[in-house]
Amino acid sequence: MYKNNQVFDRVTARLKAQVGPEVFTSWFGRLKLQSASKSVVRLSVPTAFLKSWINNKYLEQISALFAEEDPDILKVEIVVRSASRANPNIAPPETDVPLQVNQAPAVTRKDQTLSVKGVGAHLSAFGKGHQPANAVIGSPLDPRYTFESYVEGSSNRVALAAAKTIAEAGTGSVRFNPLFIHSNVGLGKTHLLQAIAAAASRHARNPRVVYLTAEYFMWRFATAIRDNDALSFKESLRNIDLLVIDDMQFLQGKSIQHEFCHLLNMLLDSARQVVVAADRAPWELESLDPRVRSRLQGGVAIEIEAPDYEMRLEMLKQRMAIAQIEDATLDISQDILAHVAQNITASGRELEGAFNQLLFRRSFEPNLTLERVDQLLGHLVNAGEPKRVRIEDIQRVVSRHYNVSRQELVSDRRTRVIVKPRQIAMYLAKTMTPRSFPEIGRRFGGRDHTTVLHAVRKIEGLIGSDTKLGHEIELLKRLIIE
C-alpha cells in the first residue's frame, strides 16, 4: 500500500500542476485513494456529483497520469465513499456505488410553450396544451441571465458545474435530484436558475421546462382556485421535464405547501428533474412543511458563497464591457474598478449598484478620483459595522474546521467526531446570536431545547479547564465574524 500511496501522491501533484491549484482544490481536494490492485486503482469522492463530474471531465487525464507513473495500472475507477467513517486500512467492497441515472419517457412533445413577454400572456399560456416548442413556461426570463454571462469563481464553481450538467441533460437523464442551490441574497442564484431554464429549453430533445418563483406559484395557484381551475393548473404541471423554482423561502400557506408537496413527490417519483433555490439551506427553511423540507434534503444541496476579489473584479470588467457596447466613449479606469472590487465585498448585487452609481456620476463628473468614489459609495462599504451572525454561518465554519459536513451536524449521529463539533456549534449559536434554545434546537435537526442547554453548559465547563479548546473557540469566533 505504501507504493500505491506514493504513486497517488505523485499523480495528484502532477494533476494539480496541470489544472492549477484553484481547479484542483474545487474538484480534487477530497479525492482519496480507496484501494489498489496490481492493475486497477479505485479513487473515492464524497458525493455522486463529484464522481460524475470527474468521470466526464478528467478520468482520461487521471488514467494517463497513473499509467505514466506505473505502466501496470490499466484502469482507474471513481467511486462514492460511504458517509460513515470507516477504517481507511480496510479495503472497500468490490461493488461501486453507482450514480443513479433514470431515463425519462421517450415521448415526442409537441405541446411546448414560449417564454412570452407579458405576465398576462404567461398566465393564459400556463395550462394550455398546444403551444410552440422549445421555450419556458411560467415567470418571465431575463435574457441577460445566461451561462455565458455568469462569472465563474471559486465560490460558485461547483454550483455552476451542476447547473450546466442538468441543462445539458435535456430529457435524457436526471441528475442530482432535486438540486438545491442556496446562498445569501445577491450572489447569483436567480441568474443561475434562469440560465438553467434558458439553456435546457434550447436542448435538441425539446424538454418541457417550467421556471417559477415561489411567489408566482402561490399567486397562480390562488388564482386557479378562485377561478375553479385548480385541477387544470395542476395537470399542466404533471407533464413537464424540468421544474425550476426560485425563492423557495417565500412559499407560504398550508394548502399551497400541501399542493407543492404533491407536485414535488410526483415529479421526483417519475424521474423529472427539479431545481430549487433559496436564501438558506433546506434544513433551515423552518416555515416549510416538514415533508417538503425532507424531500428537498434528499437531493444535493450546494451553497454559493460571496465572490472573492478576482471574481468581483471580473464582474465589474464584464459589466464595463457591456456598457461600452452601448457607449463606446465610456471609460472608467482600471484603478477605480479595482478599488471598487476591493471594497464592495458583500454581493454581486451591491457591485452592480456601485457600477451603476459610477456610470451615472461619470456623466457630469468625468474625472472621478478614488476619494470621490469613496464618498459616493460609502453606503455600500460596511466597514466598522458588526456582522450579523447567522446559525448557518456558524454551522458552515464549524463543519469545515472539524472536517464534518453540515448535514452531519444536524443529523442523529452520535459518534464522538460529530457530537463535539455539534455541541461547539450549539454553544456558539447561543453566545453569538439572539436565538433561543428551542430555535437553536430546531436548526440542529429538530432537537429539544434541553439538548442545546446541555451542550452549552458542557462547553462552558470545558473552556474553563481546557486551554486548547478555549483557543479553538476564539479562533472559530474570529472565522465566523470574518
Side-chain angles (χ1 to χ4, degrees):
M1 193 66 181
Y2 178 71
K3 176 189 174 184
N4 295 329
N5 285 332
Q6 285 186 319
V7 172
F8 176 73
D9 290 342
R10 291 198 299 269
V11 166
T12 52
R14 291 179 62 186
L15 182 62
K16 185 175 183 179
Q18 290 179 6
V19 302
E22 193 174 275
V23 172
F24 182 87
T25 300
S26 296
W27 301 121
F28 307 105
R30 292 180 286 175
L31 185 71
K32 294 183 179 180
L33 177 63
Q34 185 92 344
S35 65
S37 64
K38 185 175 180 180
S39 60
V40 178
V41 170
R42 180 175 283 118
L43 307 177
S44 71
V45 291
T47 67
F49 169 65
L50 277 177
K51 172 191 169 183
S52 175
W53 184 259
I54 293 173
N55 272 334
N56 290 332
K57 303 291 183 179
Y58 295 103
L59 186 59
E60 289 185 8
Q61 185 176 0
I62 295 171
S63 299
L65 289 174
F66 269 103
E68 290 171 10
E69 292 292 337
D70 185 348
D72 290 334
I73 296 175
L74 304 178
K75 183 179 181 182
V76 176
E77 296 179 351
I78 310 294
V79 302
V80 179
R81 59 178 169 265
S82 170
S84 61
R85 299 181 179 272
N87 186 336
N89 296 318
I90 298 176
E94 289 302 312
T95 55
D96 191 2
V97 181
L99 176 67
Q100 183 177 355
V101 179
N102 301 298
Q103 296 297 324
V107 178
T108 302
R109 291 178 176 81
K110 298 180 180 179
D111 298 338
Q112 308 291 326
T113 180
L114 277 175
S115 176
V116 248
K117 294 180 179 179
V119 174
H122 269 279
L123 290 174
S124 62
F126 210 88
K128 295 182 179 180
H130 300 286
Q131 296 156 347
N134 273 6
V136 180
I137 308 171
S139 304
L141 298 182
D142 188 327
R144 298 173 302 169
Y145 290 167
T146 64
F147 286 133
E148 291 72 25
S149 63
Y150 194 80
V151 178
E152 179 181 354
S154 58
S155 62
N156 63 14
R157 181 170 290 114
V158 175
L160 177 60
K164 286 183 175 180
T165 300
I166 286 173
E168 292 167 0
T171 61
S173 62
V174 175
R175 303 287 181 90
F176 335 119
N177 209 16
L179 173 65
F180 193 103
I181 297 173
H182 61 102
S183 75
N184 287 337
V185 297
L187 296 183
K189 298 185 299 295
T190 296
H191 188 150
L192 196 57
L193 261 64
Q194 292 202 18
I196 293 173
S201 68
R202 295 192 297 268
H203 197 280
R205 293 177 181 268
N206 292 345
R208 187 175 171 91
V209 181
V210 171
Y211 168 78
L212 299 169
T213 64
E215 290 180 310
Y216 186 99
F217 177 85
M218 290 189 296
W219 181 71
R220 183 65 186 91
F221 184 72
T223 302
I225 292 176
R226 183 197 65 192
D227 297 340
N228 295 318
D229 196 31
L231 184 60
S232 66
F233 170 70
K234 288 187 282 187
E235 286 299 321
S236 70
L237 292 172
R238 289 182 179 275
N239 298 317
I240 64 177
D241 300 299
L242 171 61
L243 174 65
V244 183
I245 294 277
D246 200 2
D247 292 327
M248 177 56 70
Q249 70 272 11
F250 294 131
L251 191 70
Q252 303 291 331
K254 185 175 180 179
S255 62
I256 289 176
Q257 290 192 15
H258 180 73
E259 289 299 334
F260 181 79
C261 185
H262 282 307
L263 171 63
L264 189 63
N265 287 334
M266 183 273 298
L267 292 175
L268 295 178
D269 291 343
S270 57
R272 308 300 173 90
Q273 182 69 58
V274 177
V275 181
V276 180
D279 66 355
R280 68 206 75 167
W283 51 89
E284 295 275 351
L285 295 171
E286 295 181 354
S287 63
L288 277 188
D289 184 298
R291 293 170 299 175
V292 177
R293 204 162 58 233
S294 174
R295 205 71 204 257
L296 293 176
Q297 286 180 242
V300 174
I302 301 175
E303 182 177 14
I304 298 176
E305 298 181 346
D308 57 19
Y309 168 75
E310 288 76 15
M311 187 175 169
R312 295 194 299 270
L313 182 58
E314 181 60 31
M315 292 164 73
L316 288 172
K317 288 180 177 179
Q318 186 179 101
R319 184 67 180 83
M320 182 74 174
I322 294 172
Q324 286 176 329
I325 294 175
E326 301 173 357
D327 180 3
T329 65
L330 177 64
D331 183 30
I332 298 176
S333 74
Q334 293 298 309
D335 287 344
I336 288 180
L337 293 181
H339 184 72
V340 172
Q342 186 69 47
N343 289 281
I344 310 298
T345 61
S347 72
R349 192 167 295 160
E350 289 190 358
L351 273 181
E352 177 78 8
F355 184 84
N356 289 336
Q357 181 85 332
L358 293 178
L359 210 59
F360 169 72
R361 286 288 177 174
R362 185 193 169 280
S363 61
F364 49 89
E365 292 184 56
N367 299 316
L368 287 173
T369 63
L370 294 181
E371 291 75 17
R372 180 58 177 152
V373 168
D374 286 340
Q375 292 175 355
L376 295 172
L377 305 181
H379 63 290
L380 293 175
V381 180
N382 297 320
E385 293 185 10
K387 178 183 175 182
R388 181 177 66 86
V389 176
R390 303 178 306 158
I391 290 178
E392 61 182 355
D393 297 327
I394 293 171
Q395 291 173 334
R396 180 173 63 250
V397 170
V398 171
S399 63
R400 284 181 177 174
H401 184 77
Y402 290 102
N403 196 30
V404 299
S405 69
R406 289 172 69 182
Q407 288 88 341
E408 287 175 315
L409 281 183
V410 302
S411 71
D412 293 329
R413 292 185 60 195
R414 297 184 180 181
T415 57
R416 178 177 174 80
V417 292
I418 303 298
V419 169
K420 180 184 175 183
R422 182 186 295 141
Q423 290 179 334
I424 289 173
M426 289 179 176
Y427 167 80
L428 292 171
K430 186 56 186 170
T431 56
M432 298 184 73
T433 77
R435 305 303 180 189
S436 64
F437 285 120
E439 184 169 358
I440 294 172
R442 287 195 297 271
R443 297 292 188 91
F444 282 83
R447 285 175 164 77
D448 188 81
H449 73 280
T450 57
T451 303
V452 182
L453 178 61
H454 170 74
V456 171
R457 288 177 175 173
K458 181 170 183 179
I459 298 302
E460 284 176 341
L462 289 174
I463 288 175
S465 58
D466 189 339
T467 305
K468 181 180 178 183
L469 178 61
H471 290 326
E472 279 188 22
I473 297 293
E474 290 304 314
L475 172 62
L476 288 169
K477 286 181 178 179
R478 289 199 299 272
L479 292 172
I480 291 164
I481 293 172
E482 292 170 4

